[in-house]
Amino acid sequence: MELITKITEIIQEAGDIVLSAKDVLSCTHQKTSAADLVTAYDVKVENFLKEKLLALVPDAIFFGEEEQERQDPTKGWAFIVDPIDGTANFVRDLGQSAISIALLKDGQPEYAVVLDPYRKNLYTAKRGCGAFVNGQPIHVSERPLSQGIFGMGTAPYNKDLHARTLEITRRLFDRSCDFRRMGAAVLDLCAVASGRLDAFFECELSPWDYAAGSLLITEAGGTISTLEGAPLPYSHKCTIWASNAVNAGIREEIQD
Ligand code: IPD
Ligand code: CA
Ligand code: CA
């Protein structure tokens, strides 16, 4: 069986854990602030994925959001995992969260598997082989931003970035039809890869937020980089600009 099929089976089981959640508020704790939450389900899903994924690729590094200690994921094989992306949505039962798995080799994403358990959408990509949802090919849109809608994230855990976030949002809003803030970065990236959004930015995302989505976007014909135009580092936080091919250049127009 192909590696990606095995990862798919594992993520579906993790999705069942998310869907089985009950009484989430009673097992929710603050991390760095009231905006930054973790639940017992984030930890349960991450532990499950760690055990199953390392059994599949025993010499891989496991770089998960809820890990206490992390190794550099840009050396050799590495899983970069967000057990629940959109935890604030999960706590509020908003039905907009996902599980995100990327497998990198020497700092380059080779596989991406993302599950939206609520809509039962499974996004997959293998480098050089295209991007898919539930087995059907996906592509970025061809819409210019002037006729499009962009997604954005608010970098909610870093108040120092809020003013810059709103200023970039205003500049993009002036050039577009509208924008969305949906609360799960990997699903925003999947929406760009699927052509439902025409661009996306956030002033700070971690590797577990952007690793899988980045491969889905490039395999769907889009582009992704930092807001400054640098390649994504995969080892630490950075700014993110993702778009279809038509809107790639707008990144330079919205700089401070
Ligand atoms: C967060 C979500 C949110 C984004 C934050 C992320 P989490 O991930 O993706 O949309 O704005 O920057 O940290 O904490 O729910 O896994
Ligand atoms: Ca996340
Ligand atoms: Ca998370």
Side-chain angles (χ1 to χ4, degrees), residues 31 37 42 65-66 82-87 98 157 208-209:
K31 292 205 278 188
L37 304 174
D42 297 71
E65 177 173 11
E66 312 305 339
D82 196 337
I84 300 182
D85 183 46
T87 294
Y157 314 145
W208 45 82
D209 301 312

Side-chain angles (χ1 to χ4, degrees), residues 63 73 205-207 210 233-238:
F63 190 93
L205 282 180
S206 294
Y210 63 72
Y234 296 105
S235 53
H236 53 269
K237 292 175 185 175
C238 63

Side-chain angles (χ1 to χ4, degrees), residues 166-186:
L166 293 181
E167 179 54 25
I168 293 174
T169 301
R170 194 190 59 75
R171 290 178 191 177
L172 286 169
F173 189 24
D174 284 347
R175 290 166 169 76
S176 66
C177 295
D178 205 347
F179 68 93
R180 299 286 183 270
R181 194 295 188 254
M182 299 191 286
V186 74

